[in-house]
Amino acid sequence: MTEQTDLFPLQVQRHPALSDWRALESLLQRWQERGWIRALDLALGRFLHTLEPEASPLILLAAVLTSHQLGRGHICADIDALLSTPDAALSLPPDGEFGEALPDRPAELLQGVERHEWLGALESSALVGDGDPPTPLVLEPDSTRLYLYRQWRYEVDVAASIGHRLEALPVDESLMRQRLAELFTPADGHLDWQQLACALMAGRRFGIITGGPGTGKTTTVVKLLALLQSLAEAQGEVLRIRLAAPTGKAAARLTESISGAIGRLPAHLQSHIPAEVTTLHRLLGARPDTRRFVHNADNPLHADLVVVDEASMIDLEMMHQLLAALPPRARLVLLGDKDQLASVEAGSVLGDLCEGADQGGYAPETLRQLAQQTGQDVAAWQAAEGEASQRPLSQSIAMLRHSHRFGADSGIGALARAVNAGDPERVQQVFQAGYVDLGLLRLKGENDAALERLVLGDRHVFPAAEGPAPRGYRHYLSLIHEQRPAAQDPSARDDWARQVLAAFAEFQLLCALRRGPWGVEGLNDRIATALASAGLIERTQGWYEGRPVLVTRNDYGLGLMNGDIGITLKVLSEAGAPLLRVVFPLSDGTLKWVLPSRLQSIETVYAMTVHKSQGSEFAHTAMVLPPNQNPVLTRELVYTGITRASRWFSLLLTHPARLEEAVRARVRRASGLRGRLLTG
């Protein structure tokens, strides 16, 4: 037998599933059974096969992978990415149960498939088009991004709607300078980015104010509302302003913040500024059990200005619905931290739009206007630290850069900056620097009782902390009994409930996963057992006093939204008998008492995922990282967890390598939104 040489390379053996639909369907079925893809993804492949029985298996495989990518938060699937790192396309653990010996991996299936071959098959199929007319799959000319039609439509419409609002608006320069001088004290040699943000937003119909925790996004937007309302009143008008946030918790926080900020404005600029914030679903008028809203292009919102906080949580579909319901002449201002986790659903709208915001990217005309209106020399800053641009989108983004919450002595601030920089060594140095607001707990294993001690409120993680000790769950549970009203008085009952809710919000355990001993399910059971052993709760299952619950699905009948948190309390009936009720704080400051039996979509929330914590803030936040590698462990997840803390932050981990890997990993969601705005 002649030995094979490099001059005559072996021909790659094609996987049989790429030649026969039945073989591919069988393989996809195995993927679904292992949890690598969703049943929905496989169902789409089968449906498209019925539409075009002669379609190449490559086309049907591309459709299944595109659907699966959508479930993982991507708007589209990139053919180049699928070929370069095939195994990253599925919900596979990076090291796998059997490492690279896992059978039927995408890398095996796609071995030998060339880019031109896959694109050629897609371009020749009736299932694939360029968007006009509609086809199940969309592959744009000269592109390797493959979309399901609905997501392609959303992306195109969102880009077009934002693009139409990027044109500069005329403003009364003299009145602008006067009002900005009244709203802001003269800068102390540093650029006042809050003032610059107001000047930028006033001249645009679409704008974004981004910045980390404590940079003053809420303060800035209240001053912006006063500025815009004043400019409108000078024209004999009064702006109809609506304020919204993605979740009830975020709406309640913004309501509280805005109410306080309005009182700090000059008296003559406080009129016609709303303080009430609603959820986006309530703003748009969600229709139960449908994807539709009362307000849409045919029935737009009655608003001249809409402000949305925590915009990093807005997915592409919700942004599409919001822009569709916005009157053509209305303004939209988004507030959010571009470095936080992207939305739970598909898309990373704020991150896509704010890419490069650190560099400024302002055109000479924008710099001239800012200097004229504020007296600040942004041009000098941009020449030294930024980058100029003529792109319209860049002229509508303001990044706040100074944190008022985390000063020079803040370990939380230093840690957040180190994580954002993607520097594991710097992160380690921050933990070693002895900051009194940081705690690092290295657990010895799954059964290390140090976790229970931390959750109960033991301050051993913060030996150098002074003053009040960091809270744990013992605090709110003790307060339930200590502050319980003696009489059946609705007012006293509500005051007690508010104290308990505030006490619960002082501490929160966050995790990266939902399942397993280090996920929400395992940790909630473990914490409940620890609290019961300490005599703080009566039982660990079912309904009991002190049980905190998280609403996981919008309930329009009860007026509760996904993300709302309530506490189970015993109250007295009219006959004096103790009854269990769950009390929720609403965004307007009122309380809602609900029978436990009426709550259908809830879960216990001693532990919550970092994703669910967005829009919330806790005095003491503890975050636990799992011991095994997982694709959800990213820089954005760690940063978001850290910045939920306002006073103390604890990190719990068994393997330091997981933190280092997470800090180096970035969330990269496939999308063409920013490219459309830059080239449109």
Side-chain angles (χ1 to χ4, degrees):
M1 179 180 294
T2 303
E3 185 176 328
Q4 179 70 40
T5 69
D6 290 340
L7 294 175
F8 302 96
L10 291 170
Q11 186 173 356
V12 174
Q13 183 71 31
R14 294 297 292 270
H15 198 289
L18 296 184
S19 302
D20 177 70
W21 160 247
R22 292 304 169 195
L24 177 61
E25 182 184 33
S26 177
L27 183 145
L28 295 175
Q29 181 69 46
R30 293 195 294 274
W31 282 5
Q32 193 240 308
E33 290 168 354
R34 293 169 186 160
W36 294 3
I37 62 173
R38 304 173 298 170
L40 177 65
D41 308 327
L42 176 56
L44 175 66
R46 287 169 169 161
F47 172 69
L48 294 183
H49 174 69
T50 64
L51 294 182
E52 189 177 327
E54 302 303 317
S56 164
L58 272 175
I59 299 169
L60 302 175
L61 174 63
V64 169
L65 292 177
T66 301
S67 174
H68 185 64
Q69 292 295 81
L70 178 64
R72 300 176 68 197
H74 301 277
I75 297 303
C76 55
D78 190 291
I79 298 300
D80 283 341
L82 293 178
L83 289 174
S84 62
T85 54
D87 289 348
L90 300 188
S91 298
L92 291 170
D95 51 356
E97 294 178 24
F98 308 100
E100 293 187 358
L102 283 168
D104 301 327
R105 291 179 298 118
E108 296 178 2
L109 178 61
L110 292 173
Q111 189 175 14
V113 175
E114 299 289 340
R115 178 179 188 262
H116 67 85
E117 176 190 4
W118 206 350
L119 291 175
L122 291 167
E123 290 167 355
S124 64
S125 172
L127 298 173
V128 185
D130 62 3
D132 186 20
T135 50
L137 301 171
V138 175
L139 180 70
E140 294 180 316
D142 303 318
S143 169
T144 60
R145 293 192 302 270
L146 183 66
Y147 296 81
L148 301 182
Y149 178 81
R150 187 197 298 270
Q151 274 59 49
W152 176 84
R153 186 76 267 167
Y154 288 158
E155 188 175 280
V156 169
D157 289 350
V158 166
S161 182
I162 292 176
H164 291 154
R165 289 181 159 83
L166 293 180
E167 185 178 354
L169 299 175
V171 295
D172 184 331
E173 297 280 354
S174 175
L175 183 58
M176 172 86 86
R177 287 194 298 272
Q178 178 185 339
R179 291 293 182 255
L180 288 174
E182 292 173 333
L183 290 166
F184 295 91
T185 57
D188 57 356
H190 300 283
L191 290 179
D192 186 341
W193 286 101
Q194 294 187 13
Q195 185 188 52
L196 292 167
C198 286
L200 272 176
M201 299 303 107
R204 299 291 187 278
R205 195 164 276 123
F206 173 83
I208 298 174
I209 301 175
T210 186
T215 52
K217 295 186 290 292
T218 303
T219 300
T220 304
V221 82
V222 169
K223 292 183 177 182
L224 174 62
L225 297 181
L227 172 64
L228 293 177
Q229 198 64 273
S230 176
L231 294 175
E233 289 172 353
Q235 301 294 321
E237 302 174 358
V238 175
L239 294 178
R240 298 169 297 176
I241 302 173
R242 302 296 303 274
L243 310 175
T247 67
K249 185 73 173 180
R253 277 193 60 208
L254 185 59
T255 296
E256 182 179 356
S257 299
I258 285 182
S259 298
I262 291 175
R264 296 191 292 271
L265 292 172
H268 66 288
L269 296 178
Q270 294 182 12
S271 60
H272 304 297
I273 300 179
E276 182 180 350
V277 185
T278 186
T279 64
L280 277 172
H281 282 83
R282 289 192 182 106
L283 174 71
L284 298 178
R287 298 180 186 272
D289 302 319
T290 74
R291 304 169 78 117
R292 298 180 179 178
F293 292 88
V294 171
H295 292 290
N296 49 45
D298 297 323
N299 181 31
L301 290 163
H302 301 293
D304 302 304
L305 168 63
V306 174
V307 177
V308 184
D309 194 19
E310 297 292 347
S312 62
M313 300 169 67
I314 305 177
D315 60 88
L316 181 66
E317 181 176 358
M318 176 56 78
M319 183 61 72
H320 177 269
Q321 302 285 13
L322 173 62
L323 288 167
L326 202 64
R329 296 184 58 81
R331 298 173 185 254
L332 175 63
V333 176
L334 304 178
L335 308 179
D337 187 343
K338 68 180 181 63
D339 297 313
Q340 280 191 30
L341 277 170
S343 58
V344 175
E345 302 299 330
S348 54
V349 177
L350 189 72
D352 289 344
L353 297 179
C354 290
E355 186 177 336
D358 311 65
Q359 300 300 312
Y362 300 125
E365 177 61 19
T366 302
L367 296 172
R368 184 196 65 77
Q369 289 179 345
L370 290 174
Q372 184 175 356
Q373 294 167 1
T374 69
Q376 300 191 69
D377 189 1
V378 189
W381 170 87
Q382 184 164 273
E385 302 184 36
E387 183 178 290
S389 172
Q390 293 286 348
R391 293 165 176 164
L393 177 61
S394 299
Q395 319 312 308
S396 294
I397 301 174
M399 181 174 171
L400 308 182
R401 299 160 195 272
H402 176 66
S403 177
H404 302 275
R405 183 192 306 171
F406 302 133
D409 61 344
S410 168
I412 297 174
L415 184 60
R417 291 189 292 272
V419 168
N420 238 351
D423 189 343
E425 291 185 7
R426 184 174 160 190
V427 169
Q428 186 177 12
Q429 291 168 1
V430 172
F431 274 117
Q432 295 171 346
Y435 287 104
V436 298
D437 57 345
L438 288 182
L440 178 62
L441 185 59
R442 289 191 171 94
L443 301 175
K444 297 175 182 178
E446 187 177 323
N447 300 314
D448 192 332
L451 186 147
E452 279 82 354
R453 294 199 301 272
L454 174 74
V455 167
L456 284 170
D458 189 330
R459 68 180 295 166
H460 70 287
V461 179
F462 300 91
E466 300 176 356
R471 305 290 196 185
Y473 289 137
R474 183 191 300 276
H475 173 54
Y476 92 92
L477 290 167
S478 299
L479 192 147
I480 288 177
H481 304 289
E482 294 168 0
Q483 301 297 325
R484 188 189 307 278
Q488 184 182 342
D489 177 1
S491 177
R493 181 196 66 181
D494 285 357
D495 290 342
W496 168 58
R498 286 190 172 90
Q499 291 182 60
V500 173
L501 288 163
F504 177 77
E506 290 191 35
F507 174 75
Q508 183 64 57
L509 181 67
L510 305 180
C511 52
L513 310 175
R514 288 206 51 80
R515 296 180 177 83
W518 300 101
V520 166
E521 295 174 0
L523 287 171
N524 273 322
D525 289 344
R526 180 174 175 179
I527 295 168
T529 299
L531 296 176
S533 298
L536 295 170
I537 58 176
E538 299 173 350
R539 60 173 68 93
T540 62
Q541 301 295 324
W543 288 102
Y544 53 86
E545 186 170 45
R547 181 190 178 191
V549 294
L550 175 76
V551 177
T552 59
R553 185 178 180 184
N554 294 339
D555 189 324
Y556 301 100
L558 291 176
L560 297 174
M561 297 292 120
N562 185 3
D564 287 348
I565 292 177
I567 305 289
T568 311
L569 297 174
K570 283 182 181 177
V571 298
L572 296 178
S573 67
E574 294 182 359
L579 300 172
L580 287 179
R581 295 290 185 271
V582 186
V583 59
F584 293 88
L586 300 182
S587 60
D588 61 3
T590 61
L591 299 178
K592 189 172 191 68
W593 295 84
V594 182
L595 279 166
S597 59
R598 297 190 65 192
L599 296 170
Q600 302 301 314
S601 301
I602 51 95
E603 61 185 29
T604 303
V605 70
Y606 296 119
M608 74 164 67
T609 61
V610 177
H611 259 298
K612 287 289 187 181
S613 74
Q614 288 181 269
S616 300
E617 179 183 303
F618 313 98
H620 178 197
T621 300
M623 179 168 63
V624 56
L625 298 184
N628 299 322
Q629 284 185 316
N630 194 290
V632 305
L633 296 180
T634 63
R635 183 184 310 174
E636 290 81 0
L637 180 131
V638 176
Y639 171 83
T640 303
I642 294 167
T643 54
R644 298 311 89 206
S646 62
R647 188 162 184 180
W648 296 285
F649 175 76
S650 309
L651 181 66
L652 294 77
L653 70 167
T654 56
H655 295 282
R658 296 296 87 82
L659 176 60
E660 181 177 332
E661 292 160 358
V663 170
R664 287 201 168 103
R666 296 296 308 269
V667 172
R668 296 294 185 188
R669 289 190 167 179
S671 163
L673 178 60
R674 181 172 175 81
R676 294 182 194 281
L677 281 164
L678 296 183
T679 59

